[in-house]
Amino acid sequence: MAMNLFGARDTLATRAGQKLYFYNLNKLQDQGFDISKLPVSVKVLLESVLREANDYDVRSEDVRTVAGWKAVNEEVEIPFKPARVILQDFTGVPAVVDLAAMRSAMVALGGDPNKINPLIPVDLVIDHSVQVDEFGTDFALANNMALEFERNRERYEFLRWGQQAFDNFGVVPPASGIVHQVNLEYLAKGVQSRPEDDGIVVYPDSLVGTDSHTTMINGLGIVGWGVGGIEAEAVMLGQPIYMLMPEVVGFKVTGAMPEGATATDLALRVTEMLRAAGVVGKFVEFFGPGLSNMTLPDRATIANMAPEYGATMGFFPVDDEALRYLRRTGRLEDEIELVELYYKAQGMFRTDETPDPTFTSNIELDLGTIVPSLAGPKRPQDRVNLDGMHTVFAEALTAPVKSRGFELTETQLHAQGTIGGTDIKIGHGAVTLASITSCTNTSNPSVLIAAGLVAKKAVEKGLKSKPWVKTSLAPGSRVVTEYLEMAGLQTYLDQIGFNTVGYGCMTCIGNSGPLPEPVVQAITEGDLVVASVLSGNRNFEGRVNPHIRANYLASPPLVVAYALAGTVVNDIVNDAIGTDQQGQPVYLRDIWPSNAEIQAIMDRAINAEMFKKVYDGIEKSNADWNAIPVSEGALYDWNADSTYIQNPPFFENLAGGPSEVVSIEGARALVKVGDSVTTDHISPAGSFKADTPAGKFLMDNGIAPKDFNSYGSRRGNDRVMTRGTFANIRLKNQLAPGTEGGYTTDYTTGEVSFIYDAAQNYKASNIPLVVLAGKDYGMGSSRDWAAKGTFLLGVKAVLAESFERIHRSNLVGMGVLPLQYKNGESAESLGITGDETFDVLLPGDLKPRQDVSLRVTKDGQSRIVTVQCRIDTPVEIDYYKNGGILQTVLRSILAKGEVAKA
């Protein structure tokens, strides 16, 4: 029953005469709340608390708080109930495993397992499991799909069980596309509805997703961001997300894009600007007249990269372009009419005449200043002008590692390696991988058609990709194939090696597959710093491919150009990238398409019917998926021999209530790292070798190395994932100097060993563990296993100079204490080397963001360091006391059941 505590429930009549209900924000204006200058993103939060207010988990005070949003920073907590949840399979499988485990725990504790059920719509898109094994052939797509099903059949059987076991849970099968592109092109509605009392209430579409790039949907005017799987599971079960009132940075856009610049170039510039401005944990809202010169796919490209610039969201309000996009992608006319009607009624529809909202701070960009760019070689915010790329790479070769260089000596600079079986030599900067990948760019027809035109012009001049380059095209939806074929461009991409290899994330998430062995031989022989060029959003060390140390993000047409050039050492703007059939030099400008050429093909080759054809019945479109047998029942039948799916130990010892807050005493450091350590470093997703703890475990269980699959595919098995925590081959643990990978000094033995093995020794000795870190700890993907694995290794606290938003939240959600140095201090400034013992002195009445004492002891001498507890909200204190968010929810559901019985 609707509470309607503020009398804001109102009616909305469609053109067809249907009467709908909505919670009218203007009613608050009438009650004295000045909401006229609120950012649109805040108005969406306001509508949510207004509609959900029940004076229980959403209080009347929360409505007043959001309605009174101030531009200055406020340390005040608010609840938010998203309309839906979206998952991808790497993070979705462990989420469903947790739900299945919660059902088992409910039975063990005498509760009703069916109480564990999503209460809001949940969609899981399987897009993270396909890998680029075969490339450059007409059979690559079919063969990679076959390998995907062979490797992941057990996981897929589990998801098929979940599909029938849980309510409100839908699955988009493999080979359909990338979760965020499918969301943008199909799942998102703009306005959601639900039954309420005597009618239907409508409200803004909003969501959280278990992937950091969930923000791509912000380009369509939909509020949403990435969370960890554990937070998403709580939302599925009806819990609000509790968050601090966001600061909102206004990003004013003026002007129009110049000839030759792409949406990718714009996104890389925005990423650079916002990282420099410092927007971690903030909303960014775009406004200004320049928005009318941006297509919605251009906006989605920028919104997608919010994790790279650190923001919670990169939000674009609904406007006429959003309506045009909904029509272009085949949405129903009634749905489009409702979006326009609703957002205009709420004062949330943008036009060029809309007064500028009030923001916390403002940034401005003239689109006319955008130039062709790349970003790298190790971080997405390190943008490089295309015309200076060769110079910047040369500087990176000798720059110190701490400055994100490779620290080569003068002798090393001239190293070469011979490609096996040939007399071809390559050196540093050879492009060994060129991939059109990632929903960041494959959702944008302008850059894909540009790539096709570059390929066409190159083929017509007789150019080919260099033989040492692994090339691939992985569209984010099957619509891309439809329009590339309609435009006659796919055939040219095929001729230079950019055959379609699959419909999924692939190279962007590290599923690039192995490089050809002859190329690996050359890299190894010369110990070469080779490069990848990809149209992705992440280029952290060790992510794209273990043999490639320099990784550059670029637009799809530049990916094609670098495959033709074969190196990042040359000046690609002014040097020839090849020769034509007459032996004449061919320059980039000779094969680069004009904006008019791109637009003409878009107008001719893309239409709404394509989207309707692809998405109609997509949930049942994959015959291989449909053929997987489905097990029945509300409870999952755990198989003790499975190496993919296991009942995790998170819900053991749940009897009784939450624990008291106690100090952490006698802890040892397991890991000590510097700045910008990513969730890829903490919980890698890619392949692993037989001599690692995870590899040894699988071999002991009868799994041959060829069948290891990847860490990401085995996230349903805590035994594998705990062994893989901190196992990235590029991790530099300062407690094991001179090593690279998952090693540490085990202070129980004094020897350097695998991190997992050391953790087991500490566990046997009842010694708690801590992690010491620098700035931006946990940046990157919203990977809950980076927190789960940390917890299962026995880590009780992580002390960092700063945290990335999602990872800090995930640590709390697993009962791990985040601590932050104060006043610019660091381990280095305080002389903390990591070989000390640590006591975290916690009061029993711990408060959010409270200062606490850290006692550091070495050689019998102790000192006290004041650090800040980064449990940020009162609800997070409850999570910490309960041992995590899911334990809190499970105890709450059990308690409600006991009350109902009484």
Side-chain angles (χ1 to χ4, degrees):
M1 178 178 174
M3 301 289 286
N4 195 21
L5 297 182
F6 286 78
R9 195 166 183 253
D10 206 348
T11 58
L12 193 68
T14 68
R15 288 176 196 152
Q18 183 184 14
K19 185 178 80 169
L20 302 169
Y21 292 110
F22 77 116
Y23 284 78
N24 192 341
L25 297 180
N26 299 303
K27 298 280 188 180
L28 292 178
Q29 188 80 26
D30 296 341
Q31 295 175 35
F33 296 99
D34 184 9
I35 64 169
S36 61
K37 299 297 288 291
L38 289 182
V40 176
S41 53
V42 173
K43 286 184 177 181
V44 176
L45 300 183
L46 177 58
E47 189 281 338
S48 173
V49 291
L50 179 64
R51 172 171 37 88
E52 298 286 354
N54 56 14
D55 278 338
Y56 174 59
D57 55 3
V58 181
R59 305 164 302 158
S60 299
E61 184 59 31
D62 297 322
V63 178
R64 298 186 188 96
T65 297
V66 182
W69 179 87
K70 298 178 179 63
V72 296
N73 183 31
E74 294 179 286
E75 295 288 320
V76 58
E77 180 186 79
I78 60 170
F80 176 53
K81 287 191 171 184
R84 57 192 177 95
V85 174
I86 196 162
L87 314 170
Q88 39 92 336
D89 57 301
F90 267 19
T91 51
V93 167
V96 180
V97 167
D98 286 348
L99 292 177
M102 290 177 78
R103 280 193 170 181
S104 296
M106 282 289 281
V107 171
L109 294 166
D112 179 3
N114 290 306
K115 296 292 184 185
I116 307 299
N117 235 330
L119 299 178
I120 60 174
V122 178
D123 291 290
L124 187 151
V125 181
I126 300 175
D127 65 353
H128 271 53
S129 297
V130 64
Q131 178 174 297
V132 189
D133 288 287
E134 185 168 330
F135 68 98
T137 75
D138 292 339
F139 305 105
L141 174 62
N143 291 342
N144 288 334
M145 283 174 55
L147 282 169
E148 174 189 0
F149 271 84
E150 180 183 323
R151 289 172 176 146
N152 296 284
R153 186 171 184 83
E154 190 176 342
R155 296 170 66 241
Y156 292 173
E157 288 173 350
F158 174 69
L159 289 177
R160 290 276 280 166
W161 167 82
Q163 201 172 5
Q164 66 81 32
F166 294 107
D167 297 335
N168 293 319
F169 180 65
V171 177
V172 176
S176 300
I178 302 175
V179 57
H180 310 304
Q181 191 162 338
V182 173
N183 191 23
L184 185 72
E185 294 177 353
Y186 172 59
L187 295 172
K189 302 299 182 190
V191 172
Q192 294 283 339
S193 64
R194 70 183 185 203
E196 186 177 280
D197 297 345
D198 57 340
I200 300 293
V201 65
V202 293
Y203 48 95
D205 193 359
S206 63
L207 69 152
V208 290
T210 58
D211 189 283
S212 50
H213 295 99
T214 299
T215 54
M216 183 168 178
I217 205 64
N218 302 158
L220 191 53
I222 294 172
V223 162
W225 57 84
V227 297
I230 45 185
E231 244 184 327
E233 292 157 44
V235 172
M236 292 180 215
L237 296 171
Q239 303 297 303
I241 283 181
Y242 292 94
M243 56 190 287
L244 292 176
M245 180 76 84
E247 296 183 28
V248 185
V249 175
F251 196 111
K252 187 172 185 177
V253 181
T254 62
M257 292 278 284
E259 185 71 35
T262 68
T264 314
D265 304 320
L266 172 58
L268 295 179
R269 176 69 177 121
V270 169
T271 299
E272 177 187 47
M273 291 175 67
L274 288 172
R275 264 293 170 185
V279 296
V280 172
K282 301 176 184 179
F283 287 6
V284 173
E285 184 166 314
F286 294 86
F287 70 107
L291 294 189
S292 295
N293 297 321
M294 292 176 63
T295 67
L296 195 130
D298 288 359
R299 300 175 187 184
T301 301
I302 293 169
N304 180 286
M305 292 195 72
E308 281 64 58
Y309 43 83
T312 303
M313 287 201 303
F315 182 79
F316 292 80
V318 172
D319 63 2
D320 284 331
E321 170 58 15
L323 302 180
R324 284 191 291 270
Y325 180 80
L326 291 171
R327 285 194 175 89
R328 289 197 300 269
T329 51
R331 268 42 176 242
L332 297 175
E333 198 59 37
D334 287 349
E335 293 176 344
I336 301 167
E337 178 207 327
L338 181 57
V339 170
E340 181 176 9
L341 187 68
Y342 179 85
Y343 283 93
K344 286 183 175 178
Q346 290 283 38
M348 294 194 288
F349 193 90
R350 188 205 75 87
T351 69
D352 285 349
E353 289 71 44
T354 300
D356 293 347
T358 299
F359 295 110
T360 302
S361 60
N362 288 275
I363 297 173
E364 186 168 339
L365 174 66
D366 177 0
L367 297 178
T369 64
I370 301 302
V371 297
S373 307
L374 299 90
K378 299 182 181 182
R379 301 191 308 179
Q381 64 262 44
D382 296 329
R383 190 186 64 83
V384 182
N385 285 355
L386 179 64
D387 58 9
M389 173 65 186
H390 58 296
T391 302
V392 172
F393 178 76
E395 293 169 350
L397 286 175
T398 56
V401 170
K402 66 180 181 181
S403 300
R404 292 175 293 282
F406 301 100
E407 215 166 294
L408 300 187
T409 65
E410 184 64 31
T411 302
Q412 292 172 314
L413 279 177
H414 305 289
Q416 289 187 316
T418 303
I419 295 174
T422 76
D423 57 1
I424 299 173
K425 292 184 179 294
I426 60 173
H428 300 299
V431 173
T432 56
L433 188 151
S435 181
I436 300 174
T437 180
S438 171
C439 55
T440 308
N441 286 290
T442 68
S443 62
N444 196 325
S446 66
V447 291
L448 287 168
I449 286 171
L453 285 169
V454 169
K456 179 177 185 290
K457 292 167 184 274
V459 168
E460 289 170 347
K461 290 183 177 294
L463 302 185
K464 295 181 179 179
S465 297
K466 294 297 187 286
W468 54 84
V469 185
K470 181 174 185 176
T471 48
S472 61
L473 166 61
S477 85
R478 287 183 173 269
V479 175
V480 174
T481 299
E482 291 284 325
Y483 65 68
L484 285 177
E485 289 181 349
M486 175 70 76
L489 297 176
Q490 185 64 58
T491 181
Y492 295 105
L493 287 161
D494 292 347
Q495 289 178 63
I496 57 170
F498 285 92
N499 304 74
T500 298
V501 293
Y503 297 94
C505 299
M506 304 190 88
T507 299
C508 185
I509 59 156
N511 285 1
S512 60
L515 294 179
E517 189 55 36
V519 176
V520 173
Q521 290 175 21
I523 296 169
T524 304
E525 176 191 338
D527 192 19
L528 300 178
V529 178
V530 296
S532 73
V533 182
L534 65 152
S535 64
N537 44 48
R538 296 268 165 82
N539 55 349
F540 305 132
E541 279 189 285
R543 179 183 177 94
V544 174
N545 186 282
H547 297 290
I548 300 175
R549 295 162 64 187
N551 301 285
Y552 289 94
L553 307 180
S555 65
L558 279 180
V559 171
V560 174
Y562 273 103
L564 300 169
T567 180
V568 295
V569 169
N570 298 339
D571 180 354
I572 198 169
V573 173
N574 296 304
D575 294 345
I577 60 173
T579 55
D580 65 15
Q581 298 91 332
Q582 286 73 46
Q584 296 300 308
V586 177
Y587 296 90
L588 182 62
R589 58 183 174 269
D590 299 327
I591 58 174
W592 197 263
S594 69
N595 292 353
E597 286 178 279
I598 296 168
Q599 189 60 53
I601 291 183
M602 287 175 60
D603 292 342
R604 172 171 60 85
I606 305 175
N607 58 66
E609 293 306 312
M610 283 182 175
F611 291 87
K612 293 176 183 177
K613 173 186 171 185
V614 166
Y615 285 113
D616 184 23
I618 195 168
E619 291 84 358
K620 297 187 180 300
S621 62
N622 188 311
D624 292 329
W625 173 260
N626 297 338
I628 294 173
V630 182
S631 59
E632 303 290 335
L635 295 177
Y636 184 67
D637 185 13
W638 304 100
N639 177 2
D641 296 327
S642 172
T643 57
Y644 277 101
I645 306 294
Q646 285 293 335
N647 191 350
F650 306 137
F651 306 111
E652 296 174 355
N653 306 315
L654 266 184
S659 304
E660 297 299 316
V661 174
V662 295
S663 296
I664 301 166
E665 298 180 340
R668 281 290 198 171
L670 181 68
V671 172
K672 181 174 183 286
V673 290
D675 297 341
S676 302
V677 167
T678 72
T679 51
D680 280 300
H681 289 104
I682 305 166
S683 181
S687 60
F688 51 94
K689 294 183 178 179
D691 60 355
T692 62
K696 292 175 182 176
F697 171 79
L698 289 177
M699 290 182 68
D700 288 345
N701 282 272
I703 307 300
K706 69 180 180 62
D707 297 318
F708 280 1
N709 212 332
S710 64
Y711 281 123
S713 68
R714 293 189 181 271
R715 285 182 183 163
N717 186 345
D718 60 281
R719 286 76 158 165
V720 174
M721 296 307 297
T722 307
R723 287 167 170 83
T725 304
F726 294 111
N728 187 299
I729 60 170
R730 299 299 178 200
L731 182 76
K732 295 179 177 64
N733 185 2
Q734 297 168 18
L735 300 184
T739 68
E740 193 172 43
Y743 299 96
T744 193
T745 295
D746 180 348
Y747 293 111
T748 68
T749 65
E751 297 177 355
V752 171
S753 68
F754 283 119
I755 287 171
Y756 174 79
D757 294 339
Q760 297 313 295
N761 287 339
Y762 287 122
K763 183 177 182 179
S765 302
N766 292 315
I767 297 173
L769 299 171
V770 297
V771 169
L772 306 174
K775 298 182 183 70
D776 298 329
Y777 182 72
M779 65 188 296
S781 302
S782 57
R783 193 164 292 175
D784 56 334
W785 261 109
K788 288 178 175 177
T790 298
F791 164 76
L792 290 175
L793 285 175
V795 173
K796 301 299 182 184
V798 177
L799 174 59
E801 292 177 57
S802 65
F803 291 92
E804 200 75 349
R805 174 186 64 86
I806 298 174
H807 186 60
R808 184 211 63 81
S809 175
N810 281 345
L811 288 172
V812 177
M814 286 307 301
V816 178
L817 181 67
L819 301 169
Q820 190 163 316
Y821 295 103
K822 291 182 64 66
N823 305 320
E825 292 176 338
S826 65
E828 284 63 38
S829 71
L830 294 168
I832 296 173
T833 56
D835 58 353
E836 305 90 343
T837 58
F838 301 89
D839 303 310
V840 184
L841 308 177
L842 300 174
D845 61 344
L846 183 66
K847 301 291 192 302
R849 295 200 169 213
Q850 181 176 348
D851 285 354
V852 298
S853 294
L854 174 70
R855 184 164 55 218
V856 184
T857 303
K858 183 175 181 179
D859 299 330
Q861 300 295 311
S862 296
R863 56 196 170 113
I864 296 292
V865 175
T866 300
V867 297
Q868 184 184 40
C869 164
R870 282 301 313 277
I871 296 179
D872 286 356
T873 68
V875 168
E876 287 187 342
I877 294 286
D878 288 339
Y879 295 161
Y880 183 67
K881 288 179 177 179
N882 276 282
I885 186 171
L886 296 181
Q887 292 85 344
T888 307
V889 172
L890 191 55
R891 284 191 173 119
S892 172
I893 294 172
L894 277 167
K896 289 176 184 175
E898 292 301 320
V899 170
K901 287 178 188 176

